[in-house]
Amino acid sequence: MAATIESFALLLSPLALWLVASWWLRRGHGTRWWDRGTLLVTGPARRDSNDAVRALFVTAHPDDETMFFAPSILKLARARLWLLCGSTGNYYNQGAIRKEELLKSCAVLGIPPSNVIVVDHRDLPDHPSVEWDTSLLSALILKHIESNQIDLVVTFDAGGVSGHTNHKSLYTAIRYLHSENRLPEGCRVLTLETVSLFRKYLSVLDLPISCLRSQDVLFVLTKEEAELAKRAMRCHHSQLLWFRRLYIVFSRYMVINSLRFL
């Protein structure tokens, strides 16, 4: 009898978590939490103290902005947003198509085409085993930070979320700029937390775990915002293979971003 009750409780636990998380999203309880005061602070790099925060998302491939960073982009809607994509995503010779898809996705997410920069450099190829040159990459990133007076940079952490070498190269380059004090005064860096494979595909069920774990910033989308993120991902038609369709449904990165400051 005790074993039966225990088994029943184990079955109910995930269901209870799902119901609580779903209720949270239906009620519109999207989350934007941070400690040490507000994230959207006035930085000395800005010319006008009344100007909005200027945030630069640094990604490696078209579709990274939606697959991994959609919660951060949508929750920072009050900021002025830029996207710097390190490649055209030409691994399967689809670079031109993927660039157009990126612009459409960014439009859905609220980043204007004029603020989307796609790097097409022969030394920065889209390849899962190629480590991008830190010196070249950091110089490109710093150029866009300075020319757009960026206050906040958002990118991958050392794990790159998926473990992709290009993703990890971005972190290495920005970490270099940060550690060498080459970033403009007042420019802060947020890195997207890499979670375990188990947590990665819990979708909203990861919400209780994310809330209990330590992070500097936690973004959770409302149901309406989550639908917007899915619409942005559907702009990447060339990438919508069966496993990415499952990703849209089950990945916690489509609804939750936990980030840390460098």
Side-chain angles (χ1 to χ4, degrees):
M1 181 64 177
T4 302
I5 294 174
E6 184 179 348
S7 300
F8 186 65
L10 287 173
L11 287 172
L12 280 181
S13 295
L15 178 60
L17 286 174
W18 178 268
L19 290 173
V20 170
S22 298
W23 171 82
W24 180 278
L25 297 179
R26 281 200 307 272
R27 289 291 300 272
H29 292 303
T31 310
R32 181 175 57 214
W33 297 341
W34 47 85
D35 56 17
R36 301 174 189 170
T38 178
L39 176 66
L40 301 181
V41 294
T42 300
R46 223 164 309 129
R47 291 170 297 179
D48 184 349
S49 60
N50 295 318
D51 195 8
V53 162
R54 305 167 74 90
L56 174 67
F57 285 82
V58 183
T59 63
H61 319 103
D63 76 16
D64 287 350
E65 81 294 338
T66 308
M67 288 183 67
F68 306 117
F69 293 97
S72 297
I73 293 173
L74 290 171
K75 286 299 185 182
L76 287 172
R78 285 192 293 144
R80 294 188 62 185
L81 302 178
W82 278 260
L83 177 78
L84 175 62
C85 186
S87 76
T88 61
N90 200 42
Y91 186 65
Y92 292 110
N93 298 315
Q94 296 176 305
I97 295 171
R98 297 192 68 184
K99 183 176 179 180
E100 290 301 315
E101 292 173 345
L102 174 64
L103 294 174
K104 292 176 182 177
S105 171
C106 285
V108 173
L109 294 173
I111 305 178
S114 59
N115 289 6
V116 179
I117 306 101
V118 182
V119 178
D120 187 8
H121 196 290
R122 66 181 181 181
D123 294 331
L124 301 174
D126 170 15
H127 198 288
S129 62
V130 173
E131 185 175 341
W132 288 344
D133 181 77
T134 299
S135 178
L136 171 62
L137 194 54
S138 60
L140 284 171
I141 294 170
L142 184 59
K143 173 186 175 182
H144 289 287
I145 290 173
E146 292 178 335
S147 62
N148 295 302
Q149 296 183 301
I150 298 300
D151 304 306
L152 179 68
V153 178
V154 186
T155 193
F156 296 100
D157 69 0
V161 178
S162 66
H164 198 296
T165 304
N166 296 166
H167 296 181
K168 295 190 283 186
S169 294
L170 294 176
Y171 171 82
T172 300
I174 292 177
R175 180 79 186 184
Y176 166 76
L177 292 172
H178 183 269
S179 62
E180 294 295 317
N181 295 315
R182 296 187 62 187
L183 293 174
E185 182 183 359
C187 182
R188 309 173 79 185
V189 178
L190 274 174
T191 59
L192 182 64
E193 180 189 14
T194 297
V195 301
S196 67
L197 189 64
F198 171 72
R199 288 183 59 199
K200 184 176 180 180
Y201 293 105
L202 283 178
S203 186
V204 294
L205 288 179
D206 189 61
L207 179 57
I209 303 173
S210 296
C211 290
L212 290 173
R213 294 181 63 88
S214 173
Q215 68 266 311
D216 292 319
V217 179
L218 177 64
F219 292 127
V220 183
L221 297 184
T222 64
K223 183 179 180 181
E224 291 73 20
E225 290 167 336
E227 288 300 320
L228 196 61
K230 291 177 182 178
R231 183 153 66 90
M233 187 59 201
R234 285 193 288 269
C235 292
H236 295 282
H237 296 292
S238 68
Q239 304 305 299
L240 291 182
L241 304 174
W242 67 268
F243 55 89
R244 287 202 180 89
R245 293 183 186 276
L246 290 177
Y247 180 95
I248 293 173
V249 176
F250 293 106
S251 176
R252 56 95 73 175
Y253 288 99
M254 292 297 296
V255 288
I256 301 170
N257 277 178
S258 48
L259 307 100
R260 295 180 184 276
F261 285 110
L262 281 186

